[in-house]
Amino acid sequence: MPGTKRYQHVIETPEPGEWELSGYEAAVPITEKSNPLTRNLDKADAEKIVKLLGQCDAEIFQEEGQIVPTYQRLYSESVLTTMLQVAGKVQEVLKEPDGGLVVLSGGGTSGRMTFLMSVSFNQLMEGLGQKPLYTYLIAGGDRSVVASREQTEDSALHGIEELKKVAAGKKRVVVIGISVGLSAPFVAGQMDYCMDNTAVFLPVLVGFNPVSMARNDPIEDWRSTFRQVAERMQKMQEKQEAFVLNPAIGPEGLSGSSRMKGGGATKILLETLLLAAHKTVDQGVVSSQRCLLEILRTFERAHQVTYSQSSKIATLMKQVGISLEKKGRVHLVGWQTLGIIAIMDGVECIHTFGADFQDIRGFLIGDHSDMFNQKDELTNQGPQFTLSQDDFLTSILPSLTETDTVVFIFTLDDNLTEVQALAERVREKCQNIQALVHSTVGQSLPAPLKKLFPSLISITWPLLFFDYEGTYVQKFQRELSTKWVLNTVSTGAHVLLGKILQNHMLDLRIANSKLFWRALAMLQRFSGQSKARCIESLLQAIHFPQPLSDDVRAAPISCHVQVAREKEKVIPTALLSLLLRCSISEAKARLSAASSVCEVVRSALSGPGQKRSTQALEDPPACGTLN
């Protein structure tokens, strides 16, 4: 299926693929579809996993194809035009900063990305002697930055109340709400509130599904569905009173895992847009498509430079997998904002793979006292909320063992004396010490430091000749590259551990309504049984050993999620019960006796009398109400 490329690209992007065909999983939003590139991800070795996930990331930069339906893409004229219009609205705030504010908002990965970007752009403004104008909102507050609290994004009213607090007394507020799948109630409520108060607020919605695929089931504490909110925004966009930025970037390499491609595309799109806005104001240049395209190409370059290290990424993936298999721990120790990326990756493994919070953890080396809105929320909250260098030295370093892996993540512009001192202390306790190092052409890692790392991923960046934004483009490239490496490594390690069925997260933790519907879709996909039967089995697995009453069946989704998020192996338990036509207790016993969740499910799928194999269904059912 040939594509038509209007622009010169740094990388070779895959041609528009099977997922774009109108009949491919038609009832499922793009962000929840199964990516045809990775349908056999669970059978791949480490090297193949890196290659496949790299190809999925390259889809971010695809242009529109010649097939129908044609989804708008990142390089589509309509998307670039909207990016320029939004940049213009941000410029208005930057030019008249008194009473102005730019709010970046989201839940889960999107919320953590708003934290990272607000830190970066406030640092940019402070470096120019300007008053910082950015703030972030994350569902559940600052604790959600460093811990898995995905359930907090299910409340529209929570989102509105948080927005009111930060915008109090402001005259002009641009609110950029991020929901990768166009589904988070936390963001929907904020967008609706902004549209009701356009004298002060300008809402901008960022996601990666067409509006027609936005979630359309009721939000428990709000009057509108997400789709209705997005449709209203589209109408108001005609008068530039609201904007929707929603290019298609293709399905995730791991179905529905928006921490990966969705998180990366969010970073690329918004950093391009916001950096162009700042350049226009500070340098007095005209905002143009050319400016956007120049920055976008630097992110393509980041993909090329990162995945040129595929063999070393695969080596790190195997080492992380070995540590996890031996019940060891993986510690990601990152300097400055690379530490934020490390924290994000560790936190997201909890609900994605049903991991323990100690399995993969990130730590931030460097001063972070002015990064958080409410740093008090993280003080004395227990081990799950530790993130600093002191926390690593006091609670992790003394207990390191030979089954653990420690990954140092830094640039050659960081304090290398500090890096070496900490690495030497770690080497005294643990030999599995690795490094991900970023440098610029002409820089080299000092020999004494290099000797400390048996395995090293060294990413060398070309010099940039942007007169204004070069330093920040390079910073953003390094962050994105680190994100791609860590996402690939942690995902691949769990694939190698047998946590994935085809390219589905069979053992995810049901932490919010989005994941409840994803769980139901997986049960229907792999069991081939009716929606009603799958709902019954899912609720039985969630509430076991309590028998299901009519009152429990009729309870809101939030009640089921509240119980499910504290339990492990809910989805595989329900699926085995469906496939083997056995009780929940028998399904749980089979899982307990199995060495791998996915192996016991594969065995059940291939057993006698099963209509479904492990081939993905072409048209799994859409989400909706329980009735």
Side-chain angles (χ1 to χ4, degrees), residues 539-601:
L539 295 184
Q540 286 175 344
I542 288 172
H543 294 282
F544 181 85
Q546 176 188 343
L548 286 186
S549 65
D550 289 342
D551 286 344
V552 171
R553 290 186 181 93
I557 298 295
S558 58
C559 294
H560 304 310
V561 169
Q562 189 172 0
V563 177
R565 68 172 184 249
E566 304 298 332
K567 294 194 172 184
E568 297 180 348
K569 297 182 173 58
V570 168
I571 301 169
T573 299
L575 182 55
L576 276 184
S577 176
L578 289 165
L579 292 172
L580 301 177
R581 295 174 173 81
C582 67
S583 66
I584 295 297
S585 58
E586 185 179 345
K588 290 176 74 69
R590 285 177 179 260
L591 283 168
S592 297
S595 58
S596 162
V597 167
C598 288
E599 282 306 316
V600 71
V601 171

Side-chain angles (χ1 to χ4, degrees), residues 8 64 94 123 144 165 171 199 223-224 245 307 324 328 366 374 377 385 397-398 425 459 475 506 542 582 599 607 610:
Q8 183 177 355
E64 293 176 14
L94 296 176
Q123 288 176 347
S144 295
K165 290 177 188 176
K171 299 175 183 176
R223 60 179 181 262
S224 305
L245 268 169
Y307 285 102
L324 294 177
Q374 300 289 334
E377 288 188 13
F385 299 94
L397 184 62
R425 294 182 67 179
I459 299 181
K475 174 181 182 293
L506 190 63
I542 288 172
C582 67
E599 282 306 316
Q610 294 302 329

Side-chain angles (χ1 to χ4, degrees), residues 348-619:
E348 289 155 2
C349 289
I350 298 171
H351 67 270
T352 304
F353 304 110
D356 186 87
F357 81 92
Q358 297 183 92
D359 286 352
I360 300 179
R361 296 181 69 185
F363 293 88
L364 192 163
I365 309 299
D367 182 22
H368 57 275
S369 58
D370 60 347
M371 290 184 180
F372 293 91
N373 288 337
Q374 300 289 334
K375 194 170 185 297
D376 290 346
E377 288 188 13
L378 304 176
T379 304
N380 299 322
Q381 295 295 316
Q384 196 168 350
F385 299 94
T386 55
L387 74 148
S388 70
Q389 181 173 0
D390 286 343
D391 293 326
F392 180 80
L393 292 173
T394 57
S395 63
I396 302 299
L397 184 62
S399 59
L400 284 176
T401 71
E402 285 301 330
T403 58
D404 296 334
T405 294
V406 181
V407 184
F408 279 59
I409 307 161
F410 59 96
T411 79
L412 294 193
D413 298 321
D414 289 316
N415 184 336
L416 299 186
T417 302
E418 182 182 51
V419 175
Q420 183 171 334
L422 184 55
E424 288 171 347
R425 294 182 67 179
V426 170
R427 277 295 294 268
E428 293 173 2
K429 306 283 291 186
C430 171
Q431 294 301 305
N432 298 323
I433 177 171
Q434 319 267 334
L436 169 58
V437 185
H438 296 277
S439 62
T440 306
V441 170
Q443 291 182 313
S444 59
L445 188 65
L449 183 54
K450 188 174 183 178
K451 289 178 181 177
L452 291 171
F453 301 108
S455 182
L456 187 71
I457 301 174
S458 181
I459 299 181
T460 303
W461 297 93
L463 293 171
L464 291 175
F465 297 100
F466 295 100
D467 56 349
Y468 167 74
E469 70 273 30
T471 300
Y472 275 85
V473 167
Q474 192 166 79
K475 174 181 182 293
F476 296 155
Q477 284 180 317
R478 291 170 172 181
E479 291 169 353
L480 181 63
S481 175
T482 299
K483 182 183 187 306
W484 276 332
V485 171
L486 296 184
N487 284 175
T488 298
V489 166
S490 58
T491 296
H494 284 94
V495 172
L496 296 176
L497 288 172
K499 287 275 192 176
I500 306 302
L501 184 62
Q502 295 177 7
N503 54 9
H504 293 273
M505 303 173 285
L506 190 63
D507 203 13
L508 64 83
R509 196 179 293 263
I510 302 174
N512 57 27
S513 60
K514 174 183 71 176
L515 298 177
F516 180 93
W517 293 119
R518 186 179 300 160
L520 179 59
M522 271 195 282
L523 294 181
Q524 292 176 269
R525 173 188 293 271
F526 288 110
S527 75
Q529 298 194 33
S530 69
K531 179 179 178 180
R533 181 70 192 92
C534 290
I535 289 170
E536 183 76 3
S537 184
L538 180 58
L539 295 184
Q540 286 175 344
I542 288 172
H543 294 282
F544 181 85
Q546 176 188 343
L548 286 186
S549 65
D550 289 342
D551 286 344
V552 171
R553 290 186 181 93
I557 298 295
S558 58
C559 294
H560 304 310
V561 169
Q562 189 172 0
V563 177
R565 68 172 184 249
E566 304 298 332
K567 294 194 172 184
E568 297 180 348
K569 297 182 173 58
V570 168
I571 301 169
T573 299
L575 182 55
L576 276 184
S577 176
L578 289 165
L579 292 172
L580 301 177
R581 295 174 173 81
C582 67
S583 66
I584 295 297
S585 58
E586 185 179 345
K588 290 176 74 69
R590 285 177 179 260
L591 283 168
S592 297
S595 58
S596 162
V597 167
C598 288
E599 282 306 316
V600 71
V601 171
R602 284 192 192 94
S603 176
L605 281 166
S606 60
Q610 294 302 329
K611 295 181 180 179
R612 297 294 171 101
S613 70
T614 55
Q615 287 296 313
L617 302 183
E618 284 303 303
D619 195 12

Side-chain angles (χ1 to χ4, degrees), residues 281-349:
V281 171
D282 295 335
Q283 297 291 300
V285 299
V286 177
S287 187
S288 65
Q289 265 194 25
R290 180 180 177 182
C291 181
L292 296 178
L293 293 170
E294 285 178 348
I295 300 171
L296 285 174
R297 287 194 187 100
T298 67
F299 287 119
E300 285 195 34
R301 179 75 67 188
H303 184 280
Q304 180 187 57
V305 171
T306 301
Y307 285 102
S308 70
Q309 301 294 314
S310 289
S311 63
K312 292 183 178 180
I313 296 171
T315 298
L316 178 57
M317 179 193 300
K318 287 183 277 192
Q319 177 57 51
V320 168
I322 290 169
S323 280
L324 294 177
E325 186 177 29
K326 293 180 177 179
K327 307 302 180 186
R329 306 281 168 74
V330 178
H331 306 289
L332 310 173
V333 181
W335 268 253
Q336 311 306 328
T337 54
L338 300 185
I340 298 175
I341 302 289
I343 290 168
M344 290 170 60
D345 190 78
V347 168
E348 289 155 2
C349 289

